[in-house]
Amino acid sequence: MIEIRFHGRGGQGAVTSAELLALAAIWEGKYAQAFPSFGPERRGAPVVAFCRISDEPIRIRANIYEPDIVVVLDASLLKIVNVASGLKPNGIIVTTSKDSPEKVKESLKVKNRVGVVNAAKIAMEVLGLPITNTTMLGSVVKASDLVKKESFIPPFKERFGRIADKNISAFERAYQETVVIQ
Amino acid sequence: MAKRVGMEVSIAAAEAVKQANVDVISAYPITPQTHIVEHLSEIVANGEMDAEFFCVESEHSAMSICIGSEATGARSFTCTSAQGLALMAEMTYIASGLRLPILMIVANRTLSAPLSIWNDHSDAMMIRDCGWVQYFVENGQEVYDHVFISYRLGEDRNVLFPVIINMDGFVLSHVIEPIELIEQEKIDQFLPPYQPLYQLHPDQPITMGAFALPAIFAETKKAQEMALRASMGKILEVWKAFGDMTGRYYQPVETYRAEDAETLLLTMGSIGETASVAVDQMREEGRSVGLVKIRLWRPFPFEALKQATLHAKNLVVIDRAVSVGGPGGPVASEVKAAIYGEPIRPSVYNFAAGISGRDVTPFDFIKMVDKAEIEIEEGNKEGFEIYGVRE
Amino acid sequence: MTKPESEWTWKEIPVGNVILEPGNASVYRTGDWKSFKPILNKELCIHCGLCYIFCPDMAYNLDAEGYFISDLYYCKGCGICSKECPTRAITMVVEEE
């Protein structure tokens, strides 16, 4: 079982990200679960969302404390939240940032694999909005091979309807532009 | 073939209500039940479902409308949580006294104060004695399945009781997971249209809800009590029929690695799944621990519970509510009452855990088993504590 | 014919305690509650029907001659008919033992 924790700000789509990842995994025939950190939604406040993916039925319903993958949707969170908290030694951090992966890795003081993409820039250019949820999923797939790229297309189409194609483009660009370092 | 789809559990619940061909939906939105009502109002407004959707001004009215519509023979549905259920409580007793097979989903949430929107079972326990059939489900598939099971059961002329499906708020209601959707033709076969025994109709006037003097009230109460107890046979029969259709068989009490276990955990609701992970971990360490899960809360499954628990030495009951000033948690006190007359029975140690959304991890279950085994060993055989509270 | 409540066993009560016999309240003799009964003076009666309209127990019926007459099986002797009668045709008199 792979456990993924998403860090974002209220309204940025961390929950949507977790949900779309779970939906893509389920679409592939895997078992998956996605849920928000339950509570009143506050736009702009740091929030987390969770996703589990497994080949077996998932029985655990607690929050995720020791993730295999951490996804950060907003670069400003890197400074104010300990995003690496509980991350497994062989875990991965995938984040949006203008900085190089080396610089991000150094500032986080981790030995983990780090994947970096400028998702905010891609989202602004492709979607015209600073919402990085679908963009960052491209980055997650690049850094982890967790779910096949094609598996996102049906859930994207269902969720976004006529703007699905733009989100698929943003996803694809992030996949291409993500740089992963060990 | 059944279709396996990833969806939020609340949406799956609403889809089941649609597939169950419900005639009247009357509900007032309240966290964390909201997504069910929102989705239903949307599908009714879109014309995807031929039902009346009543936007009411309170939960009291929501249940009142269900009572009225069900009395005319219309299949009726509502759902609520916590304070909403409290406001509705008065009418829940009326629905069961009139023997109207309404279905209600309760997305379980803590009763205030302090104000809280998170999950525990204090709302369900408040109306424990309201005379409805009451299920506690464990995952999204069970919520979806039990919509059909509940109507088929409740509407059976040998039952005629309203039914509550308790599903944990947020922990189930707001989670996306795979749900196996059943084909409509199969559902239509499993759940034929409602044929009421008595209904309000101008062609054949009857009186419902007349008052009863002391000279007859006790007889009415005994009739209700005997009928709810007698529904156990039908409950098992409907689950069997559902299992034959889908391959998913349900039991009033389920066990996991419990047969030879010295210590048993006992849970109700969604934490049972997490507890099973803890049991696996403890078994790996060579510990003799198993799990018992109560799915049917009313009528209480006395026989099944005894069968599952009497052989154990320690029974660690995890409650999700506190009977303040009382014997501890409501589940534990029922369990104790059920096994009290047995010459050989386990010691029952009781925790209230996961109060108002406090996360319960596999590690927490292991800690509770550790603590209970020590306490019982030291002679504190019937202890109660609220787990994880900072001293 | 409905039997008295005190004679029903729990097994006989219809599901949901419904009352299956429509209008069985008509069996209930409220007439023996009264201590006064209404007497109509037909010479003063103008057939306005106000007694019939105001009677809270619907005890008044129209007879073949066009007079509204109180059915003493149901009349509780409240006296509202007498109060409302515009020609004072209805008098309340003490019911005999």
Side-chain angles (χ1 to χ4, degrees), chain B residues 256-269:
Chain B
Y256 181 72
R257 304 181 83 167
E259 293 71 25
D260 60 337
E262 200 171 284
T263 298
L264 288 175
L265 273 165
L266 188 146
T267 61
M268 198 160 76

Side-chain angles (χ1 to χ4, degrees), chain C residues 8-24:
Chain C
W8 290 81
T9 71
W10 70 266
K11 287 179 187 159
E12 295 170 321
I13 297 172
V15 172
N17 316 312
V18 301
I19 297 169
L20 295 167
E21 194 184 338
N24 69 352

Side-chain angles (χ1 to χ4, degrees), chain A residues 18 35 44 62-63 66 72 85 110 113 122-123 125 131 135 174 180:
Chain A
F35 54 100
N63 290 345
E66 292 174 356
V72 185
S85 168
V110 293
R113 201 162 147 195
I122 297 174
E125 286 174 10
I131 305 229
T135 312
V180 184

